[in-house]
């Protein structure tokens, strides 16, 4: 069992927002945080525009695959961050939950996805700051 905090990012398709957030947390957390992502109805592949937007800032998520959200993933996580999956996300007492209201990058061009990416990065940076006491 890891003594690092575990963060789970959840959106519907696990193809855009949650993958971008997981990519940022992997990069910015520098191995101090276990990162997972999943979707309540996972898509077939990562959104190529999300991959492109992340590549622009030096974060490679091209090798990721959408994963199905399971109760086990939630149980194993300390922090669960939802992004538009509503009632699909299981709730377990004792977990820290945050709901990040973000536009869905699905079907949008790179010009529309960049501000979503930048907002996700800012939120991930605040999340890391909030976890600092657990990281020392």
């Amino acid at each position: 069992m890891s003594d690092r905090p575990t963060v789970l990012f959840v959106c519907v398709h696990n193809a855009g927002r949650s993958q971008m957030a997981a990519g940022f947390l992997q990069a910015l957390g520098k191995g101090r945080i276990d990162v997972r992502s999943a979707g309540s109805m996972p898509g077939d592949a990562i959104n190529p525009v999300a991959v492109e937007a992340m590549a622009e800032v030096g974060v490679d998520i091209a090798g990721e695959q959408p994963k199905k959200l399971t109760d086990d993933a939630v149980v194993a996580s300390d922090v669960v961050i939802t992004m538009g999956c509503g009632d699909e996300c299981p709730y377990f007492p004792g977990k820290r939950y945050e709901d990040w209201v973000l536009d869905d990058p699905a079907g949008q061009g790179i010009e529309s996805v960049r501000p979503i990416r930048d907002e996700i990065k800012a939120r991930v940076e605040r999340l890391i700051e909030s976890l600092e006491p657990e990281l020392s």
Side-chain angles (χ1 to χ4, degrees), residues 13 15-17 20 46-54 56 101-117 120:
H13 300 298
R17 293 167 290 189
M20 289 192 287
I46 302 292
N47 178 338
V49 182
V51 172
E52 179 185 353
M54 293 299 285
E56 288 180 350
V101 179
L102 297 158
D103 290 336
D104 189 345
Q108 300 202 51
I110 189 73
E111 296 297 328
S112 299
V113 174
R114 284 181 186 126
I116 300 168
R117 173 202 66 203
I120 290 171

Side-chain angles (χ1 to χ4, degrees), residues 28-120:
L28 300 172
K30 298 179 175 78
R32 300 175 303 157
I33 301 166
D34 289 332
V35 182
R36 300 166 182 229
S37 71
S40 51
M41 298 185 317
D44 295 325
I46 302 292
N47 178 338
V49 182
V51 172
E52 179 185 353
M54 293 299 285
E56 288 180 350
V57 295
V59 179
D60 181 7
I61 61 169
E64 298 298 324
Q65 277 300 119
K67 294 171 276 310
K68 176 83 177 132
L69 176 64
T70 64
D71 287 353
D72 289 346
V74 177
V75 169
S77 300
D78 301 299
V79 182
V80 179
I81 296 177
T82 58
M83 304 171 185
C85 64
D87 296 337
E88 296 287 328
C89 298
Y91 179 83
F92 291 91
K95 304 290 173 192
R96 173 177 155 194
Y97 286 87
E98 292 183 22
D99 186 45
W100 291 0
V101 179
L102 297 158
D103 290 336
D104 189 345
Q108 300 202 51
I110 189 73
E111 296 297 328
S112 299
V113 174
R114 284 181 186 126
I116 300 168
R117 173 202 66 203
D118 295 344
E119 174 63 22
I120 290 171

Side-chain angles (χ1 to χ4, degrees), residues 5-26:
T6 300
V7 175
L8 172 65
F9 293 102
V10 182
C11 65
V12 177
H13 300 298
N14 189 219
R17 293 167 290 189
S18 57
Q19 292 285 354
M20 289 192 287
F24 274 129
L25 189 55
Q26 288 279 19

